[in-house]
Every structure is written in C-alpha cells, then in structure tokens.
Amino acid sequence: MKKIFFIPFLLIVAVFKGQVGINTANPVNKLDVNGDVNIRKELRTAGTDLLKGSPGNAGDIFHNNSEMTANDWKNIKIADGQGSMSLFSINTVADQTGVAFSSSGDPIPYYEGDNLEGNWTVIPQAVDTFSVTNDMNKVTFSFQTIAQKVYAGSSSASFACGVFVDNKLKAVRTDVLQGDSGAYKIFNLNATLEKLPRKNKYSVKVACINRTLNNTTLGIGRAVDTSSLNNDMAQSVLTTSVLQPY
C-alpha cells in the first residue's frame, strides 16, 4: 500500500513545481489565473522561504516595479491644501510668435463668459486641451509672457490678457506698461476653476487685447524693439494642471 500512495505523491509534487493554470489548460506563468481573484486577507510581496513578504501599510498602493524581482508597495503623498485631490494631468505649451498692437482699443470692463471675439487676439501657440473625468476637480492655468513697447517716448500702454475655455472668458488681468521706448515687463496670469462638468477635451486659449496705447506699438510675447529683447526672451508659456480626487 505504501508504494501505491507514494507514486501519486511524487506526481503531484512535479505538477506544482511546474506551471499551474486555473481555468486555463495552457498556463504561461508559474500561476496563471484566467478569471477574478478574491483575496480575503493580506497580499504580501517580496517574501522568501524564510520570511513573509510585506503587506504594505494602510493607504499604500500596489506598485508594478519592472526593475526589481518583485513588485512592491508605494506611499502616495498628496500636496497640502488640496484635500483628497491629486495631480491628474499637467501640460505646458510655449509660443514665440506673440501678438502686436499699434492702435488703441477700448479701456472697458470684461466679464466672465464673454465670447472670444472682437479685438481679442489669440497668442498662436498658447493653446491647449484638457479633460475632466470627475465632478470634483480643480483646473489651474498659469500664464507668463513679456510685454514691450516701442515709440512715443515715455507714454504708457495698457492691455489685458485672458484665459478662454471653450472660447468663453474665464479669467482676465489688465496691466499698464510704462517707461521709455523699448521698455518691457513680465506679465503673469494665474487662475483656478472648480467643479467643471465632465468633458473630454476642453479647449483653453490665451488671448490679449489692446486698451489705451498712446501712440505706442505694443508687443505681447514678442520683441518689438530687438536692441534689448528677442523672441526667445519674450516667449509666452501656458501650463494647465488638472486636480481630481485621489
């Protein structure tokens, strides 16, 4: 009887040392499961014959680490002040073409929801798209450029730049450039929108408009007096960041 039981036992060991398939006749790894996996207790990684693997800590995520012999756990830290939101996407675009104005416009107020029309001129490459997949979200736009004036001595030049989402004004800032011909300054516009409806591929554009120029020529994102500035130095940069619940 001992011989009868001993032979099947050796066969079973041989099978388990090979590849084992569950719901598949052709396993491609040591354990190949074709279907759902239900783990009632812990999932441990990087164990040995002598030591149990690590179950991770509360809040850790399971990390597929292709550079190690075993996967591991990672702790994800969320930036202070953002609650339970984390970075979903971020992208930066740059433009060296810019826009130029040589005549005055109207120094009037602008309102959220205004259409992208009239004297608003889009900075050609300060254009991007982003998507929102969760009702709880924050979308931050950071725009920086250089404004430069030329001619008309020390006369001032005023202008405005705005962020348009799907061709609707969402944020705007005005500014005044003063100084002699060739003077320039940095212009920044930062804005955050919250709880945008879910949508694939919102469009975002930065456009600028002339206000009171006082017979000067105004360049935004371009050099209009190249004796002290060039287009590399004057370029515009737009960064769009989307935060969503982690």
Side-chain angles (χ1 to χ4, degrees), residues 133-153:
T133 61
N134 194 296
D135 293 330
M136 296 298 296
N137 56 75
K138 292 183 180 182
V139 183
T140 299
F141 307 101
S142 298
F143 174 72
Q144 185 178 89
T145 191
I146 295 286
Q148 186 186 37
K149 62 183 285 284
V150 67
Y151 310 131

Side-chain angles (χ1 to χ4, degrees), residues 13 50 62 80 126 163 170 246:
V13 172
L50 300 176
F62 186 61
D80 292 340
V163 173
K170 295 299 181 180
Y246 169 67

